[in-house]
Amino acid sequence: MAVLRNIDEQLTEEFKKLPIDYWDFEGEDTKELTHGLHNYPAVMVYPIYRNIIDIVKRHGEVETFLDPFMGSGTGLVEGKLAGFNKVYGTDLNPLAVLLSKVKTTVLKEDSVDIQDKLLRENIEQAFVSSKQLLDNIDNYIAEKGLDVSAKDGWGSDAHVILREYLDTYNSGLKIPDFKNMGYWFKPRVILELQLIKDIILQIENEDFRNFFLVCFSETARYVSNTRNGEFKLFRIKKEKVADFNPDVKIEFYKYLDRNIEKIKDFDKRCNNDCEVSVAFEDTRILDSVPDNSIDLMITSPPYGDSKTTVAYGQFSRPSLWWLDLELMDIEELNQVDNNLLGGKKVDKDFECELSSRTLEKAIKEIKEKDLDRARDVYSFYEDLDKAMESITKKMRHNSYQFWVVGNRTVKEVKLLTNEIISELGEKYGLVEVYDIPRNIPNKVMPSRNSPTNETGKTVSTMTNEHIVVLRKDRE
Ligand SMILES: C[S@@+](CC[C@H](N)C(=O)[O-])C[C@H]1O[C@@H](n2cnc3c(N)ncnc32)[C@H](O)[C@@H]1O
C-alpha cells in the first residue's frame, strides 16, 4: 500500500481552473454502459464521479474506493472502470444492492447471447401453454362482478381471487401475496409477470439470474398501476385503470433488448481485476469495509429524511414486492425509508448537540416555526454525523472525501449542508480542501415535491448542489 500524500494544493489549483459549467453535463448521455440498466431516484450522473476520479488520479495514488450511499451503483461502476484494486459500496435499500451488483458484474458477450436466446424460448413456451389461463382471466373477474380499480375486493383480495382462478385450471403457478396487490396490479399483468419471473428463477447462474431480474424489475414497475415519473407511490387515476392494459412480455423484451446492449458494451470496456464489494449495510455501521483502508470516497448522501425528500424505499416497492430478495421479509419492505438517514424522529425535547454552528442556527429557527419539522431535520443530521464518523474510520491518512450535497429549504430556512458537513467533519480529523458549487440541470429528481405526501401539493425543496472536498488529516 502506497503512502498517501497531501495533494490539497494540486487539487485546489485544478478546481480553480475549471470553467463554471464544468460540472453541469447538460445534454450528455448519462446512461451509457450499465449506468442505464435501471431507473433510480436522485442518481448522481456518472461524469461527476469520473471527472473527480480523473482529477484525483492525476495527482495521487488511489487503490481503494468507497461509495457508502451507493444507490444504483453509479460510483461503483466508475470505480471499476477506473481499474482500482478494490471498490466498496453500501446501501440499506435492497433494490440498490441488486442494481449495484448487476451493474458492476461483467457478463461475457457470447454467454449473454446464449442465455438471452434460451430465456426468450422458455418465455414463449410458457405463454403458449398458459394461453387459456391468460386469455380468460379478465372474463372471470368481470363475471364475478369485481371492479379492478376498486380498493376493496380486487384491490385487497387479489391473491385469494387469483388462487381460486388458478385452481380451476389446476395451475401450480405461485403468485405473490403483498398488501393491496390488486390495487397496484391488474389481474392479467400479475399472471404474466409471475410466468416470466418463474422462468428467470430457474436460471442457475446467479449473475445472469440477477441481470434478468433487473430487466424484470423495470418491467414490473412499468406495468404496475403506479404513475410513471413519480418517486413516491401514487396510482394512476381510478378511471384510467380499466383502460391500462400493458403487454408485459413486450415490455419485458424492450428492457431486455436495451439492457443487453448495455451489458455487452460494459464487457467491451471493462477488462480489469477490480474487486467489487456490495453490501446491504447501514452507513452508520460499515462493518463490510476494513478500517483505515480507503483512499478515495465519493458519494451523494440523501438530502434529508426520505419522508419529506426522496423516498427511495417507496420508489422501490413495486420492484421489491416481486423480487423475493433474501435481504428482507416482505412485511419489512414497506419500512425501508424508516431505516434510512433521518428515518426516526428525535424526541420532542431534543437539544442541538452536534458540533456545527450553522446547523444549530438553522435548527433554532425551524424549531420556532415548527417543532415537528425540526425533529425530522435534526434526526437527519444526527444520522449523517454518525455516518461521517464511521466512514472516516475506514479512510486512510491523507485520503480524500468528496461529498456531493444539496442544500434544501425547510420552513423557509436554508439548510447549508455543505457548511454543516465541513463543520461536523472537524472532530473526526477532516479538513475542508475546497467547496465547488454546481447547478443540477441533469439531476434525475424533481426539484419540487410534496413533503406532505399530498398529490399536487408542491414546494421548492432544492436548487443547487455543492461538492465538498475533505481530507483526513489524522493517522
Ligand atoms: C442520493 S442516493 C445515492 C444515489 C447514487 N449516487 C446513485 O448514483 O444511484 C442516496 C442513497 O442513500 C441510501 N441511504 C440512505 N440512508 C442510508 C443508510 N443509513 N445506510 C445506507 N444507505 C443509506 C438510500 O437508500 C439511497 O440509495
Side-chain angles (χ1 to χ4, degrees):
M1 255 193 330
V3 174
L4 297 182
R5 284 183 306 121
N6 172 339
I7 51 167
D8 291 0
E9 261 180 46
Q10 293 90 322
L11 292 180
T12 308
E13 284 269 294
E14 284 237 17
F15 293 138
K16 272 192 192 150
K17 274 194 287 189
L18 298 174
I20 190 96
D21 59 354
Y22 180 79
W23 301 97
D24 287 4
F25 313 113
E26 200 156 12
E28 277 187 36
D29 170 20
T30 54
K31 301 271 179 194
E32 68 163 38
L33 308 174
T34 50
H35 292 303
L37 288 191
H38 196 289
N39 250 325
Y40 197 74
V43 162
M44 179 153 96
V45 291
Y46 80 78
I48 299 188
Y49 286 100
R50 192 173 292 179
N51 290 2
I52 294 173
I53 289 173
D54 285 348
I55 292 172
V56 177
K57 269 173 73 177
R58 269 208 287 280
H59 302 284
E61 295 220 34
V62 183
E63 290 178 356
T64 47
F65 172 88
L66 166 68
D67 185 349
F69 298 99
M70 68 186 169
S72 59
T74 315
L76 275 56
V77 171
E78 287 304 310
K80 187 166 169 69
L81 286 168
F84 297 139
N85 289 356
K86 183 106 193 199
V87 165
Y88 295 88
T90 50
D91 205 289
L92 265 186
N93 178 359
L95 182 63
V97 174
L98 174 73
L99 298 183
S100 296
K101 264 192 201 156
V102 169
K103 284 180 167 189
T104 52
T105 302
V106 175
L107 298 178
K108 290 282 151 212
E109 191 164 359
D110 300 352
S111 320
V112 171
D113 286 335
I114 296 168
Q115 293 281 352
D116 174 37
K117 188 164 173 281
L118 202 65
L119 178 80
R120 288 180 205 245
E121 280 169 9
N122 288 340
I123 291 176
E124 287 306 319
Q125 220 171 41
F127 273 64
V128 169
S129 39
S130 306
K131 188 169 183 328
Q132 267 201 327
L133 192 84
L134 297 175
D135 287 348
N136 294 340
I137 181 64
D138 288 335
N139 275 345
Y140 178 84
I141 297 285
E143 276 163 20
K144 283 199 161 267
L146 290 163
D147 171 5
V148 286
S149 68
K151 242 183 181 167
D152 298 323
W154 169 252
S156 55
D157 303 331
H159 175 73
V160 181
I161 298 161
L162 283 181
R163 193 64 265 151
E164 280 167 11
Y165 174 71
L166 289 167
D167 284 348
T168 64
Y169 280 85
N170 280 330
S171 164
L173 193 70
K174 284 207 185 81
I175 40 166
D177 179 16
F178 51 84
K179 202 164 166 238
N180 299 331
M181 178 166 73
Y183 184 76
W184 297 110
F185 293 90
K186 290 187 69 178
R188 185 173 177 136
V189 166
I190 296 177
L191 297 179
E192 294 188 340
L193 278 173
Q194 188 64 43
L195 279 175
I196 295 176
K197 175 178 148 183
D198 279 353
I199 288 160
I200 296 174
L201 291 183
Q202 284 165 18
I203 298 169
E204 276 178 23
N205 179 302
E206 190 186 344
D207 293 342
F208 275 101
R209 198 169 60 237
N210 284 342
F211 170 73
F212 291 130
L213 279 178
V214 165
C215 308
F216 174 80
S217 163
E218 278 266 80
T219 311
R221 224 194 126 65
Y222 184 80
V223 300
S224 71
N225 298 337
T226 52
R227 269 194 248 160
N228 280 324
E230 299 256 5
F231 294 136
K232 288 194 171 145
L233 209 49
F234 291 122
R235 197 175 71 158
I236 50 175
K237 287 204 172 81
K238 192 174 188 312
E239 52 280 15
K240 286 196 176 159
V241 172
D243 295 331
F244 178 59
N245 293 310
D247 187 321
V248 177
K249 194 171 57 148
I250 301 273
E251 297 305 331
F252 177 70
Y253 286 163
K254 274 192 210 158
Y255 287 118
L256 194 57
D257 288 340
R258 180 194 73 184
N259 287 357
I260 278 179
E261 286 304 309
K262 293 192 179 289
I263 201 84
K264 284 183 178 175
D265 288 347
F266 190 55
D267 173 31
K268 284 181 205 134
R269 279 274 289 279
C270 191
N271 49 2
N272 58 49
D273 297 330
C274 169
E275 232 185 281
V276 182
S277 153
V278 171
F280 174 61
E281 206 192 0
D282 194 327
T283 307
R284 289 161 286 182
I285 304 201
L286 282 190
D287 281 342
S288 60
V289 185
D291 288 354
N292 285 312
S293 70
I294 303 295
D295 300 338
L296 174 65
M297 186 222 74
I298 308 175
T299 202
S300 63
Y303 304 95
D305 60 293
S306 290
K307 209 167 50 217
T308 62
T309 58
V310 181
Y312 300 98
Q314 229 180 89
F315 168 88
S316 310
R317 267 183 233 163
S319 300
L320 291 174
W321 285 327
W322 284 91
L323 288 174
D324 303 339
L325 300 178
E326 280 160 7
L327 301 170
M328 256 184 197
D329 288 342
I330 193 127
E331 302 85 53
E332 291 171 312
L333 292 181
N334 294 353
Q335 299 303 316
V336 170
D337 286 318
N338 296 342
N339 300 331
L340 306 182
L341 295 194
K344 295 186 179 76
K345 268 188 206 301
V346 290
D347 288 342
K348 280 196 176 112
D349 55 357
F350 80 97
E351 292 294 331
C352 184
E353 283 164 358
L354 293 173
S355 54
S356 161
R357 290 176 65 180
T358 308
L359 177 66
E360 207 175 310
K361 187 165 165 281
I363 290 289
K364 188 166 172 276
E365 284 176 42
I366 300 171
K367 240 182 177 178
E368 280 161 13
K369 295 180 174 172
D370 186 335
L371 174 63
D372 217 43
R373 294 290 287 123
R375 289 168 69 200
D376 285 330
V377 172
Y378 189 70
S379 151
F380 170 74
Y381 286 104
E382 206 176 53
D383 288 347
L384 185 65
D385 182 61
K386 285 183 196 140
M388 287 190 80
E389 181 177 14
S390 63
I391 290 166
T392 307
K393 217 167 119 189
K394 306 295 158 181
M395 310 271 322
R396 297 175 66 206
H397 179 216
N398 282 335
S399 60
Y400 285 84
Q401 301 184 4
F402 287 74
W403 290 84
V404 184
V405 295
N407 288 344
R408 64 186 182 122
T409 303
V410 173
K411 292 276 152 191
E412 286 159 4
V413 178
K414 188 117 178 147
L415 291 160
L416 302 170
T417 303
N418 58 323
E419 292 180 17
I420 297 171
I421 287 229
S422 192
E423 290 167 9
L424 292 176
E426 280 175 28
K427 63 181 172 303
Y428 304 124
L430 295 170
V431 289
E432 181 176 314
V433 178
Y434 209 79
D435 183 338
I436 313 162
R438 86 170 272 265
N439 304 317
I440 42 169
N442 267 5
K443 192 82 187 177
V444 191
M445 66 173 301
S447 57
R448 299 167 90 79
N449 71 356
S450 161
T452 49
N453 267 353
E454 286 168 55
T455 326
K457 261 204 171 176
T458 62
V459 289
S460 177
T461 61
M462 231 183 28
T463 48
N464 64 4
E465 278 188 346
H466 288 254
I467 308 177
V468 182
V469 188
L470 306 174
R471 181 175 53 80
K472 183 172 173 182
D473 197 30
R474 243 180 232 167
E475 294 282 345

